[in-house]
Amino acid sequence: MNWNFQLGIHPDADQLSVFVEGAATSREHEQMLAHLAECAECRKAVFFMQPHEEAQRAARTPVKGWILGRLLPVGLPAAALACGLVAVLIYLRPHGAAPPASQQVASLRKPEVILPPTAIAPSADSEMDQRSRLPRGVAPVNDLSRRDNLKLPTVNLPSSTGRQAAARVAAPETTTANLSANAPVGHAGGSAGGVIGRISPELPLNGRNYDRLENFAKLQQVPAPPVAQGAASQNSLAEKKDLGGLMIERAPAQDKTLAGVSGRITDRSGAVVAGVTVMLRDASGNTRGTTTGADGSFNLTGLPAGRYELTATASGFKTIEQSIELNPSQLAMMEPVLDAGKVSETVEVTSAAAQLQTESANVGQVITGQVVAEVPVVGREVGAPFGLPVTATVSHGKRLISLDSAGNLFLSRNGGKKWKKINPQWAGKAVRIELTPSYSNEAPAKPENETLGKANEAAVFLLTTDSGTAWTSKDGAHWRKQ
Amino acid sequence: MDIPPANINQTEPSGAEDCTASVAKGAAVEMELGPESRLLPEMLGEELWQAAGAEPIELSKAEFAEALEAIGAKDNFGLDPGKQPNGRQRELFWRALHLQELAIARGCALGRESAWRRFLAQYREPLTRAAVEMTGSVALGEELASALYSELFGLTEREGKRWSPLLRYSGRGSLMGWLRAILAQRRVNQYRKIGRETELGEIEPAARVSEQIELKQLEDLRAAIKMTLSAASAEERFVLSAYYLDQRTLHEISRVLRVHEATVSRKLKRATEHLRKELLRTLRGRGLSRRAAEEALGIDPRDVDINLRRLLQESAGGPNSNKERQE
């Protein structure tokens, strides 16, 4: 047979193709291998016959295409149908299988505060209405947290936002008008018109605040530590305000080497003063500064231990300077009391004007720096329109300018109905907004301050940035560098 | 019954002579098979003829039946020589053939136009592509393919009779596989014509072996290898030759043997170790010390591979060179 190879006789193409395609019988296969082992040329031919790798791959592709082409049209709808069925089954499944959601959700009942209807004098309606629209720093949270600073020193180090969140849990429904402005006249002057003058002593603010504080303390599960001055009652609080001294307490051992200063700035009447620039200068002349919030509190942390000079500056108040010694990992509590400036005695404001322009500096500034917590303004729209707490607001006529804690400036031309953000033309952060001395210290009709130049006579608003630059503006929208 | 297949014999210089040599043989096949045509039952012949789609190719039932008879007789219906196939075995053999491709090949060989049209439509492009693959060049591939076309078309005539290599297609493998085999053989013929010197050059490392090993040792080694290889299985020998002599990759060998690459690797390793052991044993049996025998093969096992290659070349070159010397 032709499969019995002899030397020099080679298989023909038919035999080769049968072998390569695997169609040969085992005997033929063996014979072919035996020949190939000897014959280099037939080996070469056999290897030549192997389809190219790419050609093989290309040949495989149509098979894949066939699978995709034939199976996909059937498989895809089937898969979609299956998905639909599963969805329907899930939808139809009795929901009773899952435990009722209400059993798992803890509900937090808001503490109800019944405000005495006599809190506001009947004649205060129009005034309060107007006030509610004013962009005063409405920050019950801060107010509480300020007291927290007093009573619960261990809660000092958490960030202010944390405190706010906690405080919101404690009193979420609180609507408090915190009418703070850095107007120069303190409440102690006693020259204000009747309405506002009546609010502070008559409203049972302090007691309620204390109740809230107790709630807050319970929520925090932190027992109020017995502070030396005894912060258990408003009376003791008042005492504490009067101390105005320096109180060193141990800060939580978060930072072993750094110290901090925290505190609250009040005026002689005990009202907190917002927008006070607090500067700390160390021995080498480096300064750190901040501004008190709407609750009059300030907080400076991360300070190296050492001796510092603290300076508190506020428009309308005498600048005070104190020296403090900071020890490592200690948090100094300070409560400086600002004295009103000399111009406070010269203000003459009629009661009618006070009713209309309650917070305006040019009508007496009776409530300057006054914390009016929880003023009953039910049903009125009171709130920070800018998302952040307002640190200061000044007004001139119907123009109001508010500065929030982020340094943004907002202008209202219609007494607070509409607000517009002022695009900063200055570099850095605006830290203080006030009226120029010619408008703030004097009655508008008779400017007596001759220290300012002619160019500043028309300027109404004075802005100070964190770099110390002063900008003035006549209308609040257009600013000029001093 | 002994029919030598198409020759790509080293003694024949060209493929043309190869073809002419086969003409008479192909005719002889047909002449001899005539009387046996009755082996194919008429019903089966009709069925197979229809299954092959032979009618549109203008291939008559008689012609198709004759082809089937000839193929069956040539390969003894797939049985070992000497065994007499029964009717069932014959039927299975015929049914297993690529009937449609066989019909086309026969139609082309007999010069039927419709068969040629179908052949060109189906195989012209793949054939050219395969030729380009083999030659690695578009020009050479197309040249190879067109030369094969003219040959397949039956332009060669001997004794007034048109003859095409397609007559030798049996239908046991695919027609495309057969065409690739023809192409590969033609390509090897080309190699031999243009590259004999190159191929001889490939044996060059053997000279270095000769330098390393003394002549007596070389003769011993040659004889030992011949003996060891003859004892090894055909597959082992093929793997050794393809790997060490042709320097084929394991992947290429695995495709020929239709097994996995890892299997080839295993077989190769086993064959190499076996060969080395056998060689050592043979050499020591011929009086060499163990150390001398190891030196002859290369002490470092890593050298065994390369030395085996050289030795195999020596061994494979031996008979040929002897033969050439005889000629």
Side-chain angles (χ1 to χ4, degrees), chain A residues 118-175:
Chain A
T118 56
I120 306 174
S123 61
D125 261 356
S126 60
E127 170 216 54
M128 292 310 295
D129 194 8
Q130 186 181 2
R131 187 191 302 163
S132 69
R133 283 189 238 111
L134 296 181
R136 299 297 171 221
V138 181
V141 174
N142 289 339
D143 190 41
L144 273 177
S145 63
R146 183 256 303 168
R147 280 167 173 78
D148 171 42
N149 278 343
L150 286 176
K151 291 190 66 182
L152 306 171
T154 51
V155 200
N156 274 336
L157 273 193
S159 67
S160 62
T161 53
R163 281 202 305 258
Q164 286 175 7
R168 281 194 182 111
V169 172
E173 86 295 358
T174 307
T175 51

Coordinates of all heavy atoms in Angstrom, one line a residue, chain A residues 118-175:
Chain A
T118 N -47.9 87.9 77.3 CA -47.6 89.3 77.7 C -46.2 89.7 77.4 O -45.7 90.7 77.9 CB -47.8 89.4 79.2 OG1 -47.0 88.4 79.9 CG2 -49.3 89.2 79.5
A119 N -45.5 88.9 76.7 CA -44.1 89.2 76.5 C -43.9 90.4 75.7 O -42.9 91.1 75.9 CB -43.4 88.0 75.8
I120 N -44.8 90.7 74.9 CA -44.6 91.8 74.0 C -45.7 92.8 74.3 O -46.9 92.5 74.5 CB -44.7 91.5 72.5 CG1 -43.7 90.3 72.3 CG2 -44.4 92.6 71.6 CD1 -43.8 89.8 70.9
A121 N -45.3 94.0 74.4 CA -46.2 95.1 74.6 C -47.1 95.2 73.3 O -46.6 95.0 72.2 CB -45.5 96.4 74.9
P122 N -48.4 95.5 73.5 CA -49.2 95.6 72.3 C -48.7 96.6 71.3 O -48.9 96.4 70.1 CB -50.6 96.1 72.9 CG -50.5 95.7 74.3 CD -49.1 95.7 74.7
S123 N -48.1 97.5 71.7 CA -47.6 98.5 70.8 C -46.4 98.1 70.0 O -45.9 98.8 69.2 CB -47.3 99.8 71.5 OG -46.2 99.5 72.5
A124 N -45.9 97.0 70.3 CA -44.6 96.5 69.7 C -44.8 95.8 68.4 O -43.9 95.4 67.8 CB -43.9 95.6 70.7
D125 N -46.1 95.7 68.0 CA -46.4 94.9 66.8 C -45.6 95.4 65.6 O -44.9 94.6 64.9 CB -47.9 94.8 66.5 CG -48.5 93.6 67.0 OD1 -47.7 92.7 67.5 OD2 -49.7 93.5 67.0
S126 N -45.8 96.6 65.3 CA -45.2 97.1 64.1 C -43.7 97.1 64.2 O -43.0 96.7 63.3 CB -45.6 98.6 63.9 OG -45.2 99.3 65.0
E127 N -43.2 97.3 65.4 CA -41.8 97.3 65.6 C -41.2 95.9 65.3 O -40.3 95.7 64.6 CB -41.5 97.8 67.0 CG -40.0 97.5 67.3 CD -39.9 97.1 68.8 OE1 -40.6 96.2 69.2 OE2 -39.1 97.8 69.5
M128 N -41.9 94.9 65.9 CA -41.4 93.5 65.8 C -41.5 93.0 64.4 O -40.7 92.3 63.9 CB -42.3 92.6 66.7 CG -42.0 92.9 68.2 SD -40.2 92.9 68.6 CE -39.8 91.2 68.2
D129 N -42.6 93.5 63.7 CA -42.8 93.1 62.3 C -41.5 93.6 61.5 O -41.0 92.8 60.8 CB -44.0 93.8 61.8 CG -44.4 93.1 60.5 OD1 -43.8 92.1 60.1 OD2 -45.3 93.6 59.8
Q130 N -41.2 94.8 61.8 CA -40.1 95.3 61.0 C -38.8 94.6 61.4 O -38.0 94.2 60.6 CB -39.9 96.8 61.3 CG -38.9 97.4 60.5 CD -38.7 98.9 60.8 OE1 -39.4 99.4 61.7 NE2 -37.8 99.5 60.1
R131 N -38.7 94.3 62.7 CA -37.5 93.7 63.2 C -37.3 92.3 62.6 O -36.3 91.8 62.3 CB -37.5 93.6 64.7 CG -36.2 93.1 65.3 CD -36.4 92.9 66.8 NE -36.8 94.0 67.5 CZ -37.4 94.0 68.7 NH1 -37.5 92.8 69.3 NH2 -37.7 95.1 69.3
S132 N -38.5 91.6 62.5 CA -38.4 90.2 62.0 C -37.9 90.2 60.6 O -37.3 89.2 60.2 CB -39.8 89.6 62.1 OG -40.6 90.2 61.1
R133 N -38.1 91.3 59.9 CA -37.6 91.3 58.6 C -36.1 91.7 58.5 O -35.4 91.6 57.5 CB -38.4 92.3 57.7 CG -39.7 91.7 57.3 CD -40.4 92.6 56.3 NE -41.7 93.0 56.8 CZ -42.0 94.2 57.2 NH1 -41.0 95.2 57.0 NH2 -43.1 94.6 57.6
L134 N -35.6 92.2 59.6 CA -34.3 92.7 59.5 C -33.3 91.5 59.5 O -33.6 90.5 60.2 CB -34.0 93.6 60.7 CG -34.8 94.9 60.8 CD1 -34.4 95.7 62.0 CD2 -34.6 95.7 59.5
P135 N -32.2 91.6 58.9 CA -31.3 90.5 58.8 C -30.4 90.4 60.0 O -29.2 90.4 59.9 CB -30.5 90.8 57.6 CG -30.5 92.3 57.5 CD -31.8 92.8 58.1
R136 N -31.0 90.5 61.2 CA -30.2 90.4 62.4 C -29.7 89.0 62.5 O -30.3 88.0 62.0 CB -31.1 90.7 63.6 CG -31.7 92.1 63.6 CD -30.5 93.1 63.6 NE -31.1 94.4 63.3 CZ -30.5 95.3 62.6 NH1 -29.3 95.0 62.0 NH2 -31.0 96.5 62.4
G137 N -28.6 88.9 63.2 CA -28.0 87.5 63.4 C -28.9 86.8 64.3 O -29.1 87.0 65.5
V138 N -29.6 85.8 63.7 CA -30.6 85.1 64.5 C -29.9 83.7 64.8 O -29.8 82.9 63.9 CB -31.9 84.9 63.7 CG1 -32.9 84.0 64.5 CG2 -32.4 86.2 63.3
A139 N -29.4 83.7 65.9 CA -28.6 82.4 66.2 C -28.9 81.9 67.6 O -28.1 82.2 68.5 CB -27.2 82.7 66.0
P140 N -30.0 81.3 67.8 CA -30.3 80.7 69.1 C -29.2 79.7 69.4 O -28.9 79.5 70.6 CB -31.6 80.1 68.9 CG -31.8 79.8 67.5 CD -31.1 80.9 66.8
V141 N -28.7 79.1 68.4 CA -27.7 78.1 68.6 C -26.5 78.7 69.3 O -26.0 78.2 70.3 CB -27.4 77.5 67.3 CG1 -26.3 76.5 67.5 CG2 -28.6 76.8 66.7
N142 N -26.1 79.7 68.7 CA -24.9 80.3 69.2 C -25.2 80.9 70.7 O -24.3 80.9 71.5 CB -24.5 81.5 68.3 CG -23.9 81.0 67.1 OD1 -23.5 79.8 67.0 ND2 -23.9 81.8 66.0
D143 N -26.4 81.3 70.8 CA -26.7 81.8 72.1 C -26.6 80.7 73.1 O -26.0 80.9 74.2 CB -28.2 82.3 72.1 CG -28.5 83.1 73.3 OD1 -27.6 83.9 73.7 OD2 -29.6 82.9 73.8
L144 N -27.1 79.6 72.8 CA -27.1 78.5 73.7 C -25.6 78.0 73.9 O -25.2 77.8 75.0 CB -27.9 77.3 73.2 CG -29.3 77.3 73.6 CD1 -30.0 76.1 72.9 CD2 -29.4 77.2 75.1
S145 N -24.9 78.0 72.8 CA -23.6 77.5 72.9 C -22.7 78.5 73.7 O -21.7 78.1 74.3 CB -23.0 77.3 71.5 OG -22.9 78.6 70.9
R146 N -23.1 79.7 73.7 CA -22.4 80.7 74.5 C -22.5 80.3 75.9 O -21.6 80.3 76.7 CB -22.9 82.1 74.2 CG -22.2 83.2 74.9 CD -23.0 83.7 76.1 NE -24.3 84.1 75.6 CZ -25.2 84.4 76.5 NH1 -25.1 84.2 77.8 NH2 -26.4 84.8 76.0
R147 N -23.8 80.0 76.3 CA -24.0 79.6 77.7 C -23.3 78.3 78.0 O -22.8 78.0 79.1 CB -25.5 79.5 78.0 CG -26.1 80.9 78.2 CD -27.6 80.9 78.2 NE -28.1 82.2 78.6 CZ -28.1 83.2 77.8 NH1 -27.7 83.1 76.6 NH2 -28.6 84.3 78.2
D148 N -23.3 77.5 77.0 CA -22.6 76.3 77.1 C -21.1 76.5 77.4 O -20.5 75.8 78.3 CB -22.7 75.5 75.8 CG -21.8 74.3 75.7 OD1 -21.7 73.6 76.8 OD2 -21.2 74.1 74.7
N149 N -20.6 77.5 76.8 CA -19.2 77.9 77.2 C -19.1 78.2 78.6 O -18.1 78.0 79.2 CB -18.8 79.1 76.3 CG -18.3 78.7 74.9 OD1 -18.1 77.5 74.8 ND2 -18.3 79.6 74.0
L150 N -20.1 78.8 79.1 CA -20.0 79.2 80.5 C -20.2 78.1 81.4 O -19.4 77.9 82.4 CB -21.1 80.3 80.8 CG -20.9 81.6 80.2 CD1 -22.1 82.5 80.5 CD2 -19.6 82.2 80.8
K151 N -21.2 77.3 81.1 CA -21.5 76.3 82.1 C -20.8 75.0 81.9 O -20.6 74.2 82.8 CB -23.0 76.0 82.1 CG -23.8 77.2 82.6 CD -25.2 76.8 82.8 CE -25.4 75.8 83.9 NZ -26.8 75.4 84.1
L152 N -20.6 74.7 80.7 CA -20.0 73.4 80.4 C -18.7 73.6 79.7 O -18.6 73.5 78.5 CB -20.9 72.6 79.5 CG -22.4 72.4 80.0 CD1 -23.2 71.8 78.9 CD2 -22.4 71.6 81.2
P153 N -17.7 73.9 80.4 CA -16.4 74.1 79.7 C -15.9 72.9 79.0 O -15.1 73.1 78.1 CB -15.5 74.5 80.9 CG -16.3 74.3 82.1 CD -17.6 74.0 81.8
T154 N -16.3 71.8 79.4 CA -15.7 70.6 78.7 C -16.2 70.5 77.3 O -15.7 69.7 76.5 CB -16.1 69.3 79.4 OG1 -17.5 69.3 79.6 CG2 -15.4 69.2 80.8
V155 N -17.2 71.3 76.9 CA -17.8 71.2 75.6 C -17.2 72.3 74.7 O -17.6 72.6 73.7 CB -19.3 71.4 75.6 CG1 -19.9 70.8 74.3 CG2 -19.8 70.6 76.8
N156 N -16.1 72.9 75.2 CA -15.6 74.1 74.5 C -14.9 73.7 73.2 O -15.0 74.4 72.3 CB -14.6 74.8 75.4 CG -15.3 75.8 76.3 OD1 -16.4 76.2 76.0 ND2 -14.7 76.1 77.5
L157 N -14.1 72.7 73.3 CA -13.3 72.4 72.1 C -14.0 71.9 70.9 O -13.5 72.2 69.8 CB -12.2 71.4 72.5 CG -11.0 72.0 73.1 CD1 -9.8 71.1 73.2 CD2 -10.6 73.3 72.3
P158 N -15.1 71.3 71.0 CA -15.8 70.9 69.7 C -16.0 72.1 68.8 O -16.1 73.2 69.3 CB -17.1 70.3 70.2 CG -16.9 69.9 71.5 CD -15.8 70.8 72.1
S159 N -16.0 71.8 67.6 CA -16.2 72.9 66.6 C -17.5 73.6 66.8 O -18.5 73.0 67.3 CB -16.1 72.3 65.2 OG -17.2 71.5 64.9
S160 N -17.6 74.7 66.3 CA -18.8 75.5 66.5 C -20.0 74.9 65.8 O -21.1 74.9 66.2 CB -18.6 76.9 66.0 OG -18.4 76.9 64.6
T161 N -19.7 74.2 64.6 CA -20.8 73.6 63.9 C -21.3 72.4 64.7 O -22.5 72.2 64.7 CB -20.3 73.1 62.5 OG1 -19.2 72.3 62.8 CG2 -20.0 74.3 61.7
G162 N -20.4 71.7 65.4 CA -20.9 70.6 66.2 C -21.8 71.1 67.3 O -22.8 70.5 67.6
R163 N -21.4 72.2 67.9 CA -22.3 72.7 68.9 C -23.6 73.2 68.4 O -24.6 73.0 69.0 CB -21.5 73.9 69.6 CG -20.5 73.5 70.5 CD -20.2 74.6 71.5 NE -19.9 75.9 70.8 CZ -18.7 76.3 70.6 NH1 -17.7 75.7 71.1 NH2 -18.4 77.5 70.0
Q164 N -23.5 73.7 67.2 CA -24.8 74.2 66.6 C -25.7 73.0 66.4 O -26.9 73.1 66.7 CB -24.5 74.9 65.3 CG -23.9 76.3 65.5 CD -23.6 76.9 64.2 OE1 -23.9 76.4 63.2 NE2 -22.9 78.1 64.3
A165 N -25.1 72.0 65.8 CA -26.0 70.8 65.6 C -26.6 70.3 66.8 O -27.8 70.0 66.9 CB -25.1 69.7 64.9
A166 N -25.8 70.2 67.9 CA -26.3 69.7 69.1 C -27.4 70.6 69.7 O -28.4 70.2 70.1 CB -25.2 69.6 70.1
A167 N -27.1 71.9 69.5 CA -28.1 72.8 70.1 C -29.4 72.8 69.3 O -30.4 72.9 69.8 CB -27.5 74.2 70.0
R168 N -29.3 72.5 68.0 CA -30.5 72.4 67.2 C -31.4 71.3 67.7 O -32.6 71.3 67.6 CB -30.2 72.3 65.7 CG -29.8 73.7 65.2 CD -29.8 73.7 63.7 NE -29.4 75.0 63.2 CZ -28.2 75.2 62.7 NH1 -27.4 74.3 62.5 NH2 -27.9 76.5 62.3
V169 N -30.7 70.2 68.0 CA -31.5 69.1 68.5 C -32.2 69.5 69.8 O -33.3 69.1 70.0 CB -30.5 67.9 68.8 CG1 -31.3 66.8 69.5 CG2 -30.0 67.4 67.5
A170 N -31.5 70.2 70.6 CA -32.1 70.6 71.9 C -33.3 71.5 71.7 O -34.3 71.4 72.3 CB -31.0 71.3 72.7
A171 N -33.2 72.5 70.8 CA -34.3 73.4 70.7 C -34.5 73.8 69.2 O -34.1 74.8 68.7 CB -33.9 74.7 71.4
P172 N -35.0 72.8 68.5 CA -35.1 73.1 67.1 C -36.1 74.1 66.7 O -36.1 74.7 65.6 CB -35.5 71.7 66.5 CG -36.2 71.0 67.6 CD -35.5 71.6 68.9
E173 N -37.1 74.3 67.5 CA -38.2 75.2 67.1 C -37.9 76.6 67.6 O -38.8 77.5 67.4 CB -39.5 74.7 67.7 CG -39.9 75.1 69.1 CD -38.9 74.6 70.1 OE1 -38.0 73.9 69.8 OE2 -39.1 75.0 71.3
T174 N -36.8 76.8 68.2 CA -36.6 78.2 68.8 C -36.6 79.2 67.7 O -35.9 79.1 66.7 CB -35.3 78.2 69.5 OG1 -35.3 77.1 70.4 CG2 -35.1 79.5 70.3
T175 N -37.3 80.2 67.9 CA -37.2 81.4 67.0 C -36.8 82.6 67.8 O -37.5 83.1 68.6 CB -38.6 81.7 66.3 OG1 -39.5 81.7 67.4 CG2 -39.0 80.6 65.4

